[in-house]
């Protein structure tokens, strides 16, 4: 598999290199069929995130059982990676899954909080109206992140300025 050159800020490149994002891999061995499979990989990611979000929302997964929490732990990194997807539906679902998983205090969460905060502000700065689904999901995820991770994450001056710019617009 050949990795595409990551674009964007330096932290985004570091995040993708650190996590080995599979959404960026393109297989060159299988011909056109392999390329078509990778072009539609986002549909599988969207289906998986939708199923996970539905299970968490409807409480079909018992969040008090230690084994279930251990199985949810790897999804923290996955949802963090998928926040950088170019597909808005995947970004929204990844943010929604993250907001449901954050209050569980999973072991992998502490390592991902800084990256998630940077991803959220990258999405906020990327643009769009405040009424779009992506922006709404970003604001909700930021609210839950700041409420649940008190003392673990701090907003910088530039991040506060971004938030104030949205307050001025509305």
């Amino acid at each position: 598999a050949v990795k595409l050159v990551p674009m964007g800020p330096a932290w985004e490149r570091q995040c993708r290199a650190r996590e080995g994002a599979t959404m960026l891999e393109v297989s060159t061995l299988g011909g056109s069929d392999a390329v078509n499979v990778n072009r539609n990989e986002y549909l599988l990611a969207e289906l998986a995130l939708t199923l996970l979000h539905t299970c968490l929302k409807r409480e079909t997964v018992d969040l008090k059982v230690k084994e279930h929490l251990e199985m949810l732990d790897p999804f923290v990194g996955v949802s963090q990676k998928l926040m950088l997807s170019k597909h808005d539906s995947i970004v929204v679902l990844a943010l929604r899954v993250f907001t449901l998983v954050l209050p569980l205090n999973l072991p992998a969460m502490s390592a991902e909080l800084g990256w998630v905060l940077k991803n959220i502000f990258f999405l906020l700065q990327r643009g769009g109206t405040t009424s779009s689904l992506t922006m709404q999901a970003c604001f909700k995820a930021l609210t839950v992140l700041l409420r649940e991770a008190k003392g673990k994450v701090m907003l910088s001056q530039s991040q506060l300025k971004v938030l104030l710019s949205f307050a001025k617009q509305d």
Side-chain angles (χ1 to χ4, degrees), residues 102 105 113 143-154:
L102 182 63
N105 293 324
L113 288 178
T143 303
V144 172
L145 178 65
L146 292 175
R147 181 179 61 227
E148 296 293 330
K150 288 181 183 174
K152 295 179 184 175
V153 292
M154 297 294 289

Side-chain angles (χ1 to χ4, degrees), residues 29-157:
L29 300 174
S32 63
D33 290 338
V35 172
N36 287 336
V37 167
N38 285 333
R39 282 188 191 151
N40 296 327
E41 188 179 33
Y42 77 96
L43 294 172
L44 293 173
E46 185 176 353
L47 174 66
L49 283 172
T50 303
L51 290 172
L52 180 60
H53 180 260
T54 304
C55 287
L56 290 171
K57 194 78 170 172
R58 293 184 181 171
E59 298 178 355
T60 55
V61 176
D62 189 7
L63 299 177
K64 295 177 182 167
V65 177
K66 185 179 178 182
E67 296 164 347
H68 292 179
L69 292 175
E70 289 172 356
M71 287 189 264
L72 279 174
D73 197 42
F75 287 104
V76 173
V78 171
S79 66
Q80 184 270 332
K81 281 191 297 187
L82 292 176
M83 287 178 196
L84 297 175
S85 175
K86 64 181 178 181
H87 302 282
D88 285 338
S89 59
I90 291 178
V91 171
V92 170
L93 284 168
L95 286 166
R96 288 179 179 170
V97 165
F98 178 78
T99 57
L100 293 174
V101 172
L102 182 63
L104 301 176
N105 293 324
L106 297 173
M109 190 63 70
S110 60
E112 300 294 336
L113 288 178
W115 290 103
V116 170
L117 186 65
K118 288 178 182 180
N119 289 350
I120 289 172
F121 275 97
F122 173 72
L123 293 169
L124 288 173
Q125 290 173 338
R126 195 167 71 174
T129 62
T130 55
S131 61
S132 71
L133 286 176
T134 305
M135 296 297 271
Q136 293 290 320
C138 284
F139 286 127
K140 184 171 182 176
L142 183 61
T143 303
V144 172
L145 178 65
L146 292 175
R147 181 179 61 227
E148 296 293 330
K150 288 181 183 174
K152 295 179 184 175
V153 292
M154 297 294 289
L155 295 179
S156 67
Q157 287 290 103

